[in-house]
Amino acid sequence: MSTLAVAKKEFHDGIRSRVLAGLTVLFGAFMAGAAYYYTEITPPAGIQSSAEPQTIAVINSLIIPTYILLPIIGTILGYKSISGERESGSLKFLLGLPHTRRDVVCGKLLGRSGIITVSVLVGFAVGGLALYALTDAFQIVDFAVLTGVSILLGMVFVSIAIAFSSAVRSSTIATAGAISLVLVFLFFWNVVLTLVGYVAQELSLIETAQSQTPTWLQFFASLNPTGAYQTTSIYLLDNGTRSVPSNPPFYLEEWFGFVILAFWLVVPIGLAYLRFDRTDL
Amino acid sequence: MPAIETIGLTKRYDGVTAVNELDLVVEEGEVFGFLGPNGAGKSTTIDVLLDFTRPTSGTVTVLGEDAQRESQSIRRRTGVLPEGCDLYDRLTGRQHLRFVNESKDADDDPDTMAERVGIPEAIDRKVGGYSKGMKQRLAFGAALVGEPELLILDEPSTGLDPSGAHEMREIVQEESARGATVFFSSHILGQVEAVCDRVGILHDGELVAEDTMEGLRNAMDREAVLTVEVNRVPEDAIAAVRALPGVSGLTTDGTTLSAHCRDGAKAAVINELEAAGASIEDFGLETASLEELFLAYTGDRPSRPIDKPTVAAGIDAAGERTEGHR
């Protein structure tokens, strides 16, 4: 009840943000642009063949603007959610009302997830209309599935950013932390993997001569939520046309991407809440 | 059952003691003024009452409930105006009041509330465009939602002009008449003088005085400020004067000493100074105003100048005596 009141307030407050409006417009433009690019300029292989894989190829192409922009929008929605209120003093107004700190954290997550849902729906509506206009083989169900997974991705980054925002006192540190993490996930994940691999080699955990990457390192690589998003999207949209390596361990199967997304959605914010609940405002 | 009770409340931050062994009782139905200079620990105390901050030691009960374990229930029954609090710039006044209604399971008409705190015409505007005073009025209105049993107001007149502060005091009186307990903090005595039944004066995290308004006024009548100018201030003189019975405070400003003392103690102060080896060059006497009493308790400002024409009857004899010593 209390959580819902906070969530509603968050939604009404955040949805009026001009920055959000700007980012949503940008997102819509990227979606339309991607749809145009992949249907008209350089259609990916398979787009000329039968109707079924064509849609999937095109829809898959929409993943690129999504997995770059949604982490950014999600982070911007979340990184000041609590530390900003702490700095301005409005957190004392909020907690002077009969809300617990859990109500505040959950309400923020819920309300801002609602906001990113709106943002994703707008972006996908624009992208969908463009696709519909440009190709004959627009598959509404596949498109809806991709929209759903994208909303989940957005929520994951909202959640991570709120975690930073509630765990640290300074909104500058929260911002720096949340943005660094997005940059790592988006652009520097391979650097991290190389480093981990190098350290593992130095510690003789991996044999240099080994031709295949050990499964634990593959697992570590799959922990990136943007990667998990791509894996799960392809998993849900694919109709068995791909070749999957036979008998991987369960944690390297594609459905496990959902577990990884759920982990990022719940665990960081859970830990941050425990810290936030104990500190002085 | 007291509305607020703290027993041995201590709060330390990184070795700095903000509140030290505070025992405070606010009775149900009274208007209690929580006074003290900035930094005295008023806000920290309020933060503990609302579980914004956890005490280092001590127990705190609000409305009969434990301030840590039953905080949500306490805040359901309490209206809170945090110090200089910011609101949500993108939401209108009406949206704020609706949110508070929803949070407290209340059903107060936002228009009536806005009318009451003097911002009826601004209620549908976004708070980002409000002046500081209007924000303060809205936050005050929000504290009144749901007819709370207890109002906790931290520096409620912040940002208000004199007439706004006056309206605020009127509402405090109305709320008190309705039966609410009001606990409000201020660093300005004048703000609480008119409305408070009782005041507590906090200084450096400790309660230095706690009395009814009437008691304070009586103390004021009995107290006077004796200002003495000496040629030099001997080392032991200050401690010796402070230790005199009937002397409640002493401030120094160069070679000017101001002693807050009862009628009977005036001569003793002068004797003590002379005994310590100072020669008296000039002195004056005036009865303390409530404001000075406050300052005497908190010792926050230098003494007032000696040349104020306020020499009272009864000191003349001593005056002549001093003349003789010159």
Side-chain angles (χ1 to χ4, degrees), chain B residues 10-289:
Chain B
T10 297
K11 176 65 187 179
R12 271 189 289 273
Y13 295 100
D14 306 324
V16 179
T17 305
V19 176
N20 191 20
E21 291 287 322
L22 178 68
D23 297 319
L24 183 72
V25 174
V26 176
E27 296 297 341
E28 213 170 310
E30 73 177 345
V31 180
F32 188 91
F34 195 40
L35 283 166
N38 289 324
K42 302 188 300 285
S43 286
T44 302
T45 307
I46 289 176
D47 284 351
V48 173
L49 298 180
L50 298 169
D51 196 35
F52 295 165
T53 291
R54 278 64 190 254
T56 308
S57 61
T59 52
V60 179
T61 329
V62 180
L63 298 170
E65 301 189 272
D66 184 272
Q68 265 81 59
R69 274 179 286 114
E70 291 146 316
S71 176
Q72 192 177 20
S73 166
I74 290 170
R75 285 176 286 131
R76 210 167 272 137
R77 301 160 65 193
T78 305
V80 180
L81 174 64
E83 182 184 8
C85 84
D86 217 334
L87 300 168
Y88 302 106
D89 283 354
R90 291 190 290 254
L91 297 180
T92 64
R94 188 184 301 280
Q95 284 170 317
H96 276 85
L97 293 171
R98 274 204 197 126
F99 170 54
V100 176
N101 262 324
E102 207 174 323
S103 302
K104 300 190 95 170
D105 245 330
D107 193 22
D108 288 347
D109 178 28
D111 287 293
T112 315
M113 300 306 289
E115 185 87 42
R116 196 166 173 212
V117 293
I119 49 165
E121 74 297 329
I123 185 168
D124 286 313
R125 289 195 346 236
K126 286 186 181 174
V127 165
Y130 280 26
S131 69
K132 215 168 179 312
M134 287 160 79
K135 280 186 193 170
Q136 187 72 5
R137 283 165 185 262
L138 177 59
F140 184 41
L144 302 175
V145 166
E147 300 212 327
E149 293 165 56
L150 169 67
L151 280 169
I152 295 181
L153 313 173
D154 197 357
E155 299 276 354
S157 49
T158 306
L160 296 180
D161 56 18
S163 83
H166 179 73
E167 286 168 46
M168 187 269 299
R169 288 195 293 270
E170 277 180 353
I171 295 176
V172 165
Q173 273 163 340
E174 289 164 19
E175 290 292 302
S176 170
R178 169 175 75 72
T181 307
V182 185
F183 178 82
F184 80 96
S185 77
S186 180
H187 64 285
I188 303 162
L189 180 71
Q191 301 285 2
V192 304
E193 199 174 344
V195 286
C196 286
D197 302 316
R198 244 158 33 92
V199 295
I201 299 177
L202 198 66
H203 184 56
D204 281 344
E206 296 185 20
L207 202 62
V208 292
E210 191 183 13
D211 206 344
T212 59
M213 241 18 250
E214 210 175 73
L216 271 190
R217 284 206 186 88
N218 285 342
M220 169 191 79
D221 288 343
R222 279 184 283 111
E223 290 239 354
V225 182
L226 175 67
T227 312
V228 188
E229 198 166 308
V230 289
N231 61 338
R232 63 184 187 91
V233 182
E235 253 175 54
D236 327 330
I238 290 172
V241 170
R242 278 217 175 105
L244 287 172
V247 174
S248 62
L250 179 74
T251 54
T252 57
D253 181 17
T255 54
T256 305
L257 304 159
S258 298
H260 295 254
C261 54
R262 300 250 177 91
D263 260 349
K266 291 186 298 254
V269 170
I270 286 170
N271 287 337
E272 195 65 50
L273 285 172
E274 289 183 327
S279 78
I280 313 287
E281 304 195 325
D282 196 1
F283 68 88
L285 182 74
E286 60 187 291
T287 41
S289 71

Side-chain angles (χ1 to χ4, degrees), chain A residues 170-200:
Chain A
S170 141
S171 108
T172 317
I173 295 175
T175 309
I179 289 177
S180 309
L181 197 62
V182 169
L183 291 179
V184 165
F185 284 151
L186 283 184
F187 305 112
F188 302 115
W189 192 244
N190 283 332
V191 178
V192 173
L193 290 180
T194 310
L195 279 176
V196 170
Y198 176 76
V199 170

Side-chain angles (χ1 to χ4, degrees), chain A residues 47 50-60 131 135 137-139 142:
Chain A
I47 211 153
S50 64
E52 186 63 16
Q54 178 179 345
T55 325
I56 286 168
V58 172
I59 288 179
N60 284 353
L131 271 186
T135 76
F138 178 74
Q139 290 266 325
D142 286 348

Side-chain angles (χ1 to χ4, degrees), chain A residues 138-251:
Chain A
F138 178 74
Q139 290 266 325
I140 188 78
V141 176
D142 286 348
F143 193 72
V145 166
L146 186 63
T147 309
V149 185
S150 302
I151 289 172
L152 183 59
L153 177 73
M155 283 163 66
V156 163
F157 278 90
V158 169
S159 184
I160 291 173
I162 294 177
F164 272 104
S165 196
S166 51
V168 296
R169 189 168 288 275
S170 141
S171 108
T172 317
I173 295 175
T175 309
I179 289 177
S180 309
L181 197 62
V182 169
L183 291 179
V184 165
F185 284 151
L186 283 184
F187 305 112
F188 302 115
W189 192 244
N190 283 332
V191 178
V192 173
L193 290 180
T194 310
L195 279 176
V196 170
Y198 176 76
V199 170
Q201 252 179 39
E202 285 298 298
L203 298 175
S204 307
L205 295 172
I206 309 177
E207 306 216 354
T208 327
Q210 217 169 333
S211 60
Q212 226 195 337
T213 324
T215 49
W216 71 262
L217 194 56
Q218 286 182 45
F219 175 66
F220 190 87
S222 72
L223 288 180
N224 186 334
T226 62
Y229 163 73
Q230 292 177 55
T231 316
T232 50
S233 300
I234 292 165
Y235 169 67
L236 288 176
L237 296 178
D238 189 77
N239 319 19
T241 49
R242 283 161 312 119
S243 58
V244 183
S246 57
N247 293 326
F250 75 94
Y251 53 83

